[in-house]
Amino acid sequence: MALQLGDEAPDFEAETTDGTIRFHEWLGDSWGVLFSHPKDFTPVCTTELGYTAKLKPDFDRRNVKVIGLSVDTVADHNEWAKDIEETQGQEVNFPMIGDPDKKVAELYGMIHPKSLDSLTVRSVFIIGPDKKIKLTITYPASTGRNFDEILRVIDSLQLTANYQVSTPVNWVYGGDVVIAPSIPDEEAKVKFPKGFNTLKPYLRLTPQPNK
Ligand code: BEZ
C-alpha cells in the first residue's frame, strides 16, 4: 500500500552527493523534504533543482533539510550539477540521492509505471521532526512543481503543529487562520487574545497567533 499521511517515513541508507547517509540520522531533529525527479540532464528537472537550491535560506530558516533523488548515479548527479549552476545561476546546495537500483524509489512508491516507465515521477514528501509523513504530492514528469507552495505548506504545518488552528484557502504566512471548531467560544477568547470574527459557529477567523 502507498505511504500515507501519518506513516513513519521509511528509513534507508543511500549514496548521495554528500556521501553515504542514513536517512533518519541525517534528518536529526529537522523537518525534511524528500523529493524525486525523473531524470538528470532533463530540462524541467534542471529548473526545479536550481530554484530549490535558491530557496535554501528559506528552508534553513524553517529548520527544514531538503534532499533530492532520481534513479541516476551520484556520478551523474555531480556532472549534472555543473549544468544546473551554469544555466540556473545557482550551485546545488543540498544532497541528491543516487538510486540506480531503485531501492529508495520503490520504498517510497516514487515509480508510477503507467505514467512514466521505470523512472521516478515528481514526488514530494514533507516529513516532521517526529519522522512522520505530513504531506505527499505527486506531479507528472511534464509539470514542474511550485516549490514556493512547498514552503507555504511547511509554514502551515509548523503553525498548526503548535496552535489549535488550521489555514484556509490560499493562506500565506501572516494571513488570518481558522480556529478549530472543537474549541468553545469561551476557551477561544483565552487562547486567541487578538480576538476572532465569527462568520458561522464553525467558521471563526483570527489573526495568525504567532505573529
Ligand atoms: C524534464 O525534466 O523535462 C523531463 C524529465 C523526464 C520526462 C519528461 C520531462
Side-chain angles (χ1 to χ4, degrees), residues 95-159:
M96 286 189 272
I97 296 168
D99 193 32
D101 59 5
K102 304 182 172 68
K103 195 181 76 181
V104 181
E106 279 166 4
L107 196 57
Y108 277 77
M110 293 165 162
I111 297 178
H112 298 207
K114 290 177 198 150
S115 174
L116 189 61
D117 188 27
S118 74
L119 299 176
T120 43
V121 291
R122 300 188 194 280
S123 300
V124 183
F125 294 86
I126 297 180
I127 298 157
D130 58 0
K131 310 289 183 293
K132 297 279 179 8
I133 294 173
K134 307 296 183 188
L135 168 136
T136 66
I137 62 171
T138 308
Y139 274 40
S142 51
T143 304
R145 287 156 288 194
N146 182 336
F147 281 81
D148 294 327
E149 165 64 3
I150 290 165
L151 283 175
R152 190 191 74 88
V153 176
I154 289 167
D155 283 340
S156 172
L157 288 167
Q158 293 185 340
L159 178 70

Side-chain angles (χ1 to χ4, degrees), residues 14-17 36-42 45 49 68-80 96-105 111 116 118-120:
E15 301 306 312
T16 82
T17 49
S36 58
H37 65 272
K39 189 107 196 86
D40 291 0
F41 303 102
T42 55
C45 301
L49 271 80
L69 175 149
S70 73
V71 298
D72 300 281
T73 61
V74 166
D76 275 350
H77 289 336
N78 282 326
E79 205 50 39
W80 181 40
M96 286 189 272
I97 296 168
D99 193 32
D101 59 5
K102 304 182 172 68
K103 195 181 76 181
V104 181
I111 297 178
L116 189 61
S118 74
L119 299 176
T120 43

Side-chain angles (χ1 to χ4, degrees), residues 143-185:
T143 304
R145 287 156 288 194
N146 182 336
F147 281 81
D148 294 327
E149 165 64 3
I150 290 165
L151 283 175
R152 190 191 74 88
V153 176
I154 289 167
D155 283 340
S156 172
L157 288 167
Q158 293 185 340
L159 178 70
T160 59
N162 291 313
Y163 295 89
Q164 288 174 290
V165 297
S166 46
T167 58
V169 61
N170 292 351
W171 175 86
V172 287
Y173 192 88
D176 286 354
V177 300
V178 174
I179 298 174
S182 57
I183 303 178
D185 274 351

Side-chain angles (χ1 to χ4, degrees), residues 55-96:
L55 294 180
K56 182 164 170 47
D58 300 284
F59 285 114
D60 286 349
R61 198 163 48 246
R62 292 163 172 85
N63 189 30
V64 180
K65 289 186 173 177
V66 175
I67 190 163
L69 175 149
S70 73
V71 298
D72 300 281
T73 61
V74 166
D76 275 350
H77 289 336
N78 282 326
E79 205 50 39
W80 181 40
K82 296 177 197 162
D83 291 358
I84 297 172
E85 183 165 1
E86 181 189 326
T87 62
Q88 308 304 303
Q90 172 63 53
E91 180 190 6
V92 180
N93 48 21
F94 55 84
M96 286 189 272

